[in-house]
Amino acid sequence: MLTENLDALAATFEVGYESPSQFSREYSRLFGAPPLRDIKNLRQATIA
């Protein structure tokens, strides 16, 4: 999502999920934070 400038919705379908809520739930379970929060933090870190 960071390198291709994708939002969570676009990433959902790019990786093969059919539901944004399912993608967000799975992502949060695997990485401990929702994708929107992670990508926001990563984008801020690359700017600073």
Side-chain angles (χ1 to χ4, degrees):
M1 292 186 320
L2 182 62
T3 60
E4 295 186 22
N5 202 26
L6 295 175
D7 61 12
L9 180 62
T12 294
F13 300 113
E14 189 76 25
V15 297
Y17 283 90
E18 294 181 14
S19 163
S21 61
Q22 179 189 14
F23 172 71
S24 184
R25 198 170 38 252
E26 296 280 335
Y27 185 99
S28 295
R29 187 168 48 93
L30 288 170
F31 299 108
L36 292 177
R37 188 171 72 191
D38 267 0
I39 198 64
K40 178 182 173 187
N41 290 341
L42 287 169
R43 284 185 178 146
Q44 287 177 346
T46 58
I47 293 171

